[in-house]
Amino acid sequence: MSEQKGFHADMEKCIGCKCCEAACQDFYRMPPEIRWRKVRSFEMGEFPTALRVHLSLACNHCEDPACMKGCPVEAYTKRGKDGLVIHDPTACIGCQYCTWTCPYGVPQFDPVQGVVSKCNGCYQRVDEGLMPRCVESCLTGALSFGNVDLHAAEQRQVVTEAPGFPDPSITRPSTRFAWPLKGPQPDHQVSIAPPAADPHAPAQKEGK
Amino acid sequence: MSAGMDRRSFLKLSLAATATVGMAGEVFATTSGQSYVSGGPAPAHVEPEQWVYSTCGFCGTGCGIEIGVKEGKPVAVRGTKGYPVNDGLLCAKGIYQWQSILASDRGRHPLVRKDGKMVQATWDEALNTMTGKFKDLIAKYGPDSIACYNTGQLAMEEFYVLGKLMRAGIGTANLDGNTRMCMASAVVGHNRSFGTDGPVGAYADIEEADVIMISGSNMAECHPILFGRVVKARAAKGTKVICIDPRMTQVSRIADIYLPIKPGSDVVLLNAMAHVVIAQGLVDRTYVDAHTSGYDALVKHLEKYTPEYAADICGVPAATIVEAALMYAKAERSLSMWVMGINQSINGTQANNAFHNLNLLQGKIGKPGCGSFSITGQPAAMAAREVGGSSTYPGYRAIANAQHREQVAALWGVDPKKLPDKSPAITEILDAAIEGKIKALWVICTNPLMSLPDQNRVRKALEKLELLVVQDAYETADTAQMAHIYLPATMWAEKSGIMVNSERRMNLLKPAVKPPGETRSDFDIIVDVARRMGYGELFPFKNTAEAFEEIKKMTKGRPNDYTGVTYERIEANKGLQWPVKDAASTGTPRLYTDGQFNTPDKKAVLWAMDPVPLPEVPSEKHPFMLNTGRVQEHYHTGTKTRKVPQLNKLVPTAYVELNPRDAERLGIEYGDQVRLTNDRGSITVKAVITAMIAPGSCFVPMHFSEGPVNALTVWAVDKFSKEPNFKQQAVQISKA
C-alpha cells in the first residue's frame, strides 16, 4: 500500500464558504494576496436548473512533483513517510521556476518577501496527529485528508479528474474528488490511481 | 443531468467562462488596497498566550468563540470546541473578526462638531453637550422630540439600561432598533400565532429532522455554520431539503425539491401547501382541536388556494407544489427555516404566520426535528427583543398592554403613566424628523444611512435633526460622518455581558482585550447619560452583572425566564437556552412541548390570510426586479468586514448579478460598469453575469457605500411589523 497522503474534496458537500481558505490564510498569517488554498467556482446551465459548484484546491502533493524538478536550490523535499511536498522558504532564491512548472499554479511568488511559498500540508500538525487546518475548518465535511488508498473506503466517490484540473498523468497529484450529485457524472469506471501509478495499486473503482 | 452538460464539457469548465460571487474578487482584484507592507516580517503562525471565552459578534447563529490574545492584543479567534452551536467551527468572517478590532478607524476620543468640523472633545464636554440639548428639547417640545435608534449587536444589559433610560427616564416612545429591519416580522408572527415572541425550536432539530424546508434564506452564505449542519445531516442520514427562493443558491443546489417562486409570492405558496395538507387528510385533528383556534375558518379560507391557483401566482408548477407539500407533510419530523427573504417583505408577518399554520396543522411544534424556525440576523437581536431594547418592555411585555406597563412600572418604581404606550418604527421616526417633530436622534451601533431603505429620504431626515449623536466603534461609519456628536464605543471583545442567539441560547461576552484610546462600553456611556440627565436613581449598577440581576427580576415568571442564569453558569454549560427557571435547570431546548401557548386561551392561533400586493413591480420604465442581501465575506454595511483585507480581497466592491440573457440583450459584459436607476436614486456598480439569478431579476449586496443599493430600495413596510420591504423593487439597468 502506498504511504502517499493527500486531500479529498467532495464537490457535493462543498458549499463554497471558503472557511478552508480563510482558516489556512489566518493560521499562517498570509497576506490577502497569497492564498495557499483557493476555492474555485464553476457554473453551468440556465436558471432555474443552473448549477454552481465549488472546488477547493491547495497543493496536490504530487507523486512526481514538477515544482521539485525545476528547483535549482533544492528548496523542495518530498517526505518519504507520507509523500508531502514541502517547500523551504529559507532555501528559496525566488527564481520562480516552480511557479511555471507546476501545472496547478500552486507555488505563489510573494513579491514582498522575494520568495515563493505554498501549502505544505500542515506537516507539523500532521506529525502531531492533527488534521491540516483547512480540513479541520471545513463546515460540511467536504474536505478530508489521509492516505490516498484509504479514500476509497471512506468516500462516496474517488475520482482523479475535476473541472479545470490538468491531466493527472503529468505529475500524478494525490488529490482526489467526488463530483456533485446533480449535473454531469464521471465515467462509470473510475481509476483510483492515476494512469501511470504503480502496477500493484488497486486498478479500478466502481463509480456511483 | 440537470445542467445539460456532459462529463467532457464539465472537465473543460474554466473559471474565466463562469461568473460567480467568489470570482468577483479575482476579476476586481486591482480595486483592493495593498495591505501587505514591504519589509515586514515573513508570514508565520502566531500562537496566542491566552484564549478567552466569548461569543461571535456577527450573525444570530451565536457561535461560541475563543479570542486569542497576545501582549494584550487580539491575534486570533477560534471556535469553541464542544460548543453546542458550532463545535469548534467558524465561518470566514468569524475567523477574521479579530482584525476588525484593530482597524485604524476605531474611534479613540469623543468628537463634537464645531464650525462644521468634527473635533476631539472630552467625555464631559461631549456628554454634557448631548444631555444639555436633550434637556432643552424635552423642556421645549416634550420627551417625544427625542428618539433613539439602536441595534441587534449590544449586550443584553446594554439594551436593558437603554430601554429603561428612554422609557422610564426620558419618557419618549421613540425607541427602535435595526432589529426592525431584521426580525420584526418574526416577532409579530410569533406574537400572533403563539401569544408571545420567542423562536420555538433548537438547532439540534436540524439533525433530528427528516425534511428541512429552507425559504427566503441564503443560509449557505449568511448562516454558514447552520447550513454546514444541514449538509452534514443530509450526508449522514439522507435528510431531505426543500428550497423556496426566487434566487438560486447553494441551498437550491442541494435541494431535493426547488421552488423558484416569483418574488413575494410566499404567502400564496404556503397557503397552497396548507390547502394540500388539509385536502389530503394530513391534518393532526387531535392536536388541532386541543391546541389551536381558527381551524374551521382557515379550512374555508384555504379552499381557493388550490395548487393550480398558486401555480399561476408563484410561477412554479402545481405538481411541484403538491410534491413539496406532501414531502413536508408526510415526513414524521419536518422543520421550516427562513430568514430575510420572508421577513423583509410587505407580507413578512403573514408569511411567518403561514409557516406556523403549516406546522400547527400537523402538530409539528415543540417536538424534536419539527417546527417553525425564523433564524436571527444579529448576535444579540434576541436580547434586544427580550429585555425592552426596542419595541417591547422587558420580559416580552407588550408596549400596548396596560397591565404589562403596570408590572414594569412597579418593578422599576416609576409612575405607570410615564411609560409610553406606543412604539413607532424607525421609518415613522424618520418621517417625524422630516416633519420637524423629532429634533434629536441618538444612533447606537448601527449605520442607518447605509442600511435603511431609500437612502435619500434617510439623509434628508438626518439632515433635518437639530442633534444627531452617533455612538459607534468606528468614527468613519457613514452615519457617524453626519453626526454632531460622536461617542467612541468598545467592541464585543472588550466588554462583558450576554448575547442571545436564534435558538434562545444565552452566551457570555468577556473582556478579552483592552479597548483603544478613551473608548467606553455602551453600558457605561448609557448609564452616564442617564445620570447626567438626572435619572441616576434608576441605574444603581456598577457593572453589567449587577444590571443582569435586575433583568432577572424583570423576567421571573415570564416566557423568557432567566431566574436560574448566572454568568458562571452560562460559561460552565456552554450557553443556556431560556427559560431557565431555577439554578438546577440546564435550559429549555424547545418551547410549547405541552401544547400550551401564551395566548389567553392557551391555544395557538391559525390565521386565515390573503397577501397584499407588492409595493412595486417591474414596469416598462423600470423593467427589472431588484433583490438585496448579503454575501458570505461581508456583514451588513461592512463597517467591520471591510476592515479585513483578506475578506475585502475576496469581494472588494459592489456588484449586480444579472442573468446572461438580460446581459446579452443589454450589451453588458462581465465586469462592466452598469447603472441601476429608479425614481429614488441611481447607483453604478460592476456587472456579474450569472445564471443563478432569474431573467428579469437582479441582485445587489448591501455592504458597499460606493454602490449603496439602499439608494434604490422602496419605503414600504409590512402593516403588522413595520418591517421594510427590501427584497422587491423595480429598477432600470443600463451600461454606464
Side-chain angles (χ1 to χ4, degrees), chain B residues 1-55:
Chain B
M1 197 187 294
S2 65
M5 177 176 269
D6 62 12
R7 168 187 159 274
R8 184 174 293 273
S9 320
F10 182 66
L11 287 172
K12 282 190 176 161
L13 276 178
S14 70
L15 290 167
T18 63
T20 76
V21 173
M23 282 228 2
E26 310 279 351
V27 170
F28 310 146
T30 49
T31 58
S32 86
Q34 168 76 267
S35 60
Y36 185 33
V37 184
S38 191
H45 173 65
V46 176
E47 192 60 34
E49 291 158 358
Q50 190 198 354
W51 292 97
V52 181
Y53 184 96
S54 190
T55 310

Side-chain angles (χ1 to χ4, degrees), chain A:
Chain A
M1 190 172 80
S2 163
E3 296 302 313
Q4 176 71 46
K5 282 188 160 59
F7 293 103
H8 182 279
D10 186 334
M11 297 174 77
E12 174 63 22
K13 290 181 185 167
C14 182
I15 58 170
C17 66
K18 303 193 180 106
C19 292
C20 50
E21 202 177 294
C24 166
Q25 200 178 26
D26 186 64
F27 191 81
Y28 293 106
R29 289 297 126 100
M30 287 295 160
E33 290 74 15
I34 294 170
R35 284 176 287 156
W36 286 352
R37 180 167 282 283
K38 282 183 191 170
V39 178
R40 273 87 165 165
S41 304
F42 302 90
E43 191 178 302
M44 67 206 87
E46 290 190 30
F47 188 92
T49 54
L51 189 62
R52 180 184 289 173
V53 295
H54 304 281
L55 180 59
S56 171
L57 288 173
C59 177
N60 299 304
H61 300 283
C62 302
E63 293 196 34
D64 193 9
C67 53
M68 239 171 118
K69 283 185 191 159
C71 182
V73 292
E74 297 182 347
Y76 286 93
T77 45
K78 185 170 173 68
R79 303 215 297 185
K81 66 173 174 181
D82 53 16
L84 293 181
V85 177
I86 294 161
H87 175 261
D88 175 6
T90 62
C92 179
I93 55 169
C95 72
Q96 302 177 61
Y97 284 163
C98 55
T99 65
W100 305 328
T101 53
C102 171
Y104 310 99
V106 165
Q108 290 164 64
F109 181 65
D110 177 343
V112 173
Q113 300 296 330
V115 294
V116 157
S117 69
K118 77 161 194 73
C119 155
N120 292 316
C122 282
Y123 69 93
Q124 300 99 327
R125 291 174 57 89
V126 170
D127 287 347
E128 289 172 32
L130 298 170
M131 278 288 153
R133 190 68 190 103
C134 53
V135 172
E136 188 183 65
S137 316
C138 178
L139 302 189
T140 62
L143 210 54
S144 329
F145 176 82
N147 192 302
V148 174
D149 290 346
L150 296 180
H151 291 324
E154 289 161 10
Q155 302 296 339
R156 174 177 61 84
Q157 191 179 66
V158 180
V159 182
T160 56
E161 298 173 305
F165 202 64
D167 183 348
S169 68
I170 307 169
T171 63
R172 290 188 286 149
S174 68
T175 308
R176 299 290 182 270
F177 310 96
W179 287 23
L181 292 171
K182 287 179 190 168
Q185 297 302 309
D187 278 357
H188 193 64
Q189 294 289 315
V190 178
S191 67
I192 299 177
D198 97 37
H200 304 294
Q204 303 284 301
K205 177 177 167 63
E206 183 91 352
K208 281 179 195 166

